[in-house]
């Protein structure tokens, strides 16, 4: 993933983040999204399905996918006592798909 220093910079500057990892990195992508939205960072996930990775897309294909990116939001504000501080993104996605 990225270093704690990089992650802290992201949290500090509160940017809009677009995630576009290779299709085989779905678990890593979900982990990054969970950590960012936990810190109230606005995160969009770019669909790269049908491509080996972002580098195999044309600029126009990438820009189209970026425009269609899905926004992820925090489901709860405060974790319940005794519960994990993460969102089970794969489970949630399977329910809305």
């Amino acid at each position: 993933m990225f270093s704690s220093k990089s992650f802290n910079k992201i949290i500090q500057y509160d940017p809009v983040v677009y995630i576009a990892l290779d299709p085989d990195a779905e678990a890593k992508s979900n982990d990054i999204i969970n950590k960012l939205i936990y810190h109230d960072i606005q995160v969009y996930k770019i669909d790269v399905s049908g491509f080996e990775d972002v580098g195999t897309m044309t600029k126009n294909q990438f820009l189209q996918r970026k425009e269609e990116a899905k926004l992820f939001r925090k489901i709860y504000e405060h974790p319940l006592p005794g519960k994990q501080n993460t969102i089970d993104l794969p489970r949630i996605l399977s329910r809305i798909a």
Side-chain angles (χ1 to χ4, degrees):
M1 186 155 30
F2 38 74
S3 71
S4 295
K5 188 174 181 178
S6 298
F7 187 78
N8 289 337
K9 287 273 187 193
I10 291 170
I11 302 304
Q12 178 184 354
Y13 291 106
D14 192 28
V16 174
V17 175
Y18 286 84
I19 301 286
L21 297 182
D22 299 354
D24 62 343
E26 190 68 23
K28 183 184 281 189
S29 178
N30 291 340
D31 185 46
I32 293 168
I33 291 169
N34 279 329
K35 288 178 180 174
L36 290 171
I37 62 176
Y38 178 76
H39 291 281
D40 295 320
I41 301 297
Q42 190 174 3
V43 182
Y44 289 86
K45 185 174 181 184
I46 298 173
D47 178 15
V48 295
S49 61
F51 295 92
E52 186 178 331
D53 57 36
V54 174
T56 61
M57 294 179 175
T58 66
K59 182 177 181 178
N60 287 337
Q61 288 169 326
F62 176 78
L63 292 175
Q64 181 64 36
R65 294 282 179 108
K66 183 179 177 190
E67 190 175 304
E68 298 167 351
K70 294 180 182 177
L71 173 64
F72 284 82
R73 297 177 191 270
K74 204 186 309 185
I75 294 177
Y76 56 84
E77 288 300 319
H78 304 286
L80 298 172
K83 298 286 182 182
Q84 262 190 316
N85 259 354
T86 59
I87 297 169
D88 187 354
L89 197 56
R91 182 176 56 85
I92 292 166
L93 292 174
S94 69
R95 288 182 177 181
I96 61 173

